[in-house]
Amino acid sequence: MNISAWVWIVTLVVVLAVLAVDLLIIGRRPHEPSMKESSSWVAFYVALALAFGGGIWFFAGGQYAAEFYTGWLTEYSLSVDNLFIFMIIMARFAVPRQLQQKVLLIGIVLALIMRGAFIAAGAALISQFSWVFYIFGAFLVYTAITLLKEGENDEDDFKENVLIRWAKRALPVSSSFGDGRMMMLTETGKRLFTPMLIVMIAIGTTDLLFALDSIPAIFGITKEPYLVFTANVFALMGLRQLFFLLGGLLERLVYLNYGLAAVLAFIGVKLFLEALHTNNLSFINGGHGVHWAPEIPIWLSLLIILGTLGIATAASLFKSSRDAKRELAGSNH
């Protein structure tokens, strides 16, 4: 897939323009979006991603379009899990509802920057060393096992790291968020950091950890840097509105971690099999490709990922509904 420089430039300009519009909306009118507003924006971004995939199909063919859709779906699912941690962070630090949009947008911008850096590094590694797929595959399987051990999402999933603890201890931090800026001036003329700085550190370090999972996962689906980047962009766009649209539904997706674990394990195995096909490590098959290893086509990957996430979502909603009925029945006795 040959992507010219001007296509990259246009893509980056459009992404920056969308982010600028979001910044203007939040900057001029900080508010908690209504369900109607949130659903309209989420539908718009999903339609945009589907249309973009259609454009890839038209200009580059069905194979690349399928890679984009599979990558976008995987990254979108991982982003929903990311949202749950954002929700815990904002609850832990008691971020006012009208400022949560700002926190989410900055988190998305940081995620785009970090993922962009990881995509560039990953593409450079892959072009030079095909054996890096062994490492990516092993890392994804390890991440899947970790998710299975953690089980359902809960508040214990977020633990304050060293940087957060240092900032809270070493920096002069006010008890009030003020107008949502990182720093405020007290009535006595003293400058203090607001809790918003601590929240941004928490969001930024969380973004870094999620980027470590998401980039190997997307490279397990497509090796095209342009598709990797755009799939990540479309997965992150509209995430702010999705947070307010889902609301309490996030807490009901109790089996999401299990579904994501299965998806990451599947992609990890897929990466390992592809690494065997292109193997050049001397201690494996004498440095030759292992051609008996099965190749998993992209259409099958898409079906498996869709089916796994669909089952996890349906099972989560069924369990949540059943638990709610039991609680209601118990309270009536």
Side-chain angles (χ1 to χ4, degrees), residues 11-146:
T11 303
L12 291 171
V13 168
V14 171
V15 169
L16 291 173
V18 172
L19 289 174
V21 169
D22 257 357
L23 282 169
L24 285 173
I25 291 173
I26 293 174
R28 289 184 176 181
R29 192 168 62 92
H31 67 292
E32 180 183 347
S34 64
M35 290 290 288
K36 182 180 179 181
E37 180 184 347
S38 297
S39 57
S40 298
W41 277 105
V42 169
F44 169 73
Y45 283 120
V46 169
L48 206 59
L50 294 174
F52 184 82
I56 291 174
W57 196 312
F58 181 79
F59 289 105
Q63 172 70 18
Y64 290 125
E67 289 180 9
F68 169 77
Y69 284 132
T70 308
W72 169 63
L73 179 65
T74 302
E75 293 298 312
Y76 205 73
S77 304
L78 289 168
S79 295
V80 171
D81 197 43
N82 203 346
L83 273 186
F84 188 88
I85 303 300
F86 283 178
M87 182 177 70
I88 293 172
I89 290 172
M90 287 190 281
R92 179 77 62 86
F93 294 102
V95 179
R97 292 289 289 182
Q98 70 272 17
L99 296 179
Q100 289 183 5
Q101 282 208 84
K102 182 177 181 179
V103 172
L104 287 167
L105 181 59
I106 294 174
I108 290 167
V109 172
L110 289 173
L112 279 171
I113 293 170
M114 290 179 187
R115 293 188 189 193
F118 276 107
I119 289 166
L125 279 172
I126 289 166
S127 65
Q128 295 294 321
F129 312 105
S130 61
W131 50 261
V132 78
F133 285 134
Y134 287 116
I135 298 174
F136 281 1
F139 179 74
L140 289 178
V141 172
Y142 168 77
T143 304
I145 293 170
T146 304

Side-chain angles (χ1 to χ4, degrees), residues 259-326:
L260 289 175
V263 168
L264 291 178
F266 165 72
I267 297 174
V269 171
K270 183 175 182 291
L271 269 173
F272 199 84
L273 292 173
E274 289 181 18
L276 287 174
H277 275 279
T278 58
N279 174 66
N280 56 15
L281 296 178
S282 58
F283 55 87
I284 298 177
N285 198 36
H288 302 292
V290 182
H291 301 298
W292 55 260
E295 289 188 67
I296 302 174
I298 194 65
W299 65 265
L300 182 58
S301 298
L302 180 58
L303 286 178
I304 290 173
I305 292 170
L306 268 173
T308 302
L309 294 174
I311 291 169
T313 301
S316 294
L317 296 178
F318 175 77
K319 182 180 184 297
S320 298
S321 176
R322 187 183 60 186
D323 290 347
K325 289 177 180 177
R326 283 179 179 175

Side-chain angles (χ1 to χ4, degrees), residues 153-179:
N153 275 320
D154 55 45
E155 292 195 11
D156 292 333
D157 289 342
F158 173 74
K159 295 178 177 64
E160 294 186 2
N161 56 49
V162 174
L163 190 57
I164 297 172
R165 292 197 299 270
W166 172 85
K168 290 172 71 174
R169 184 177 64 252
L171 300 176
V173 181
S174 70
S175 59
S176 170
F177 278 87
D179 59 0

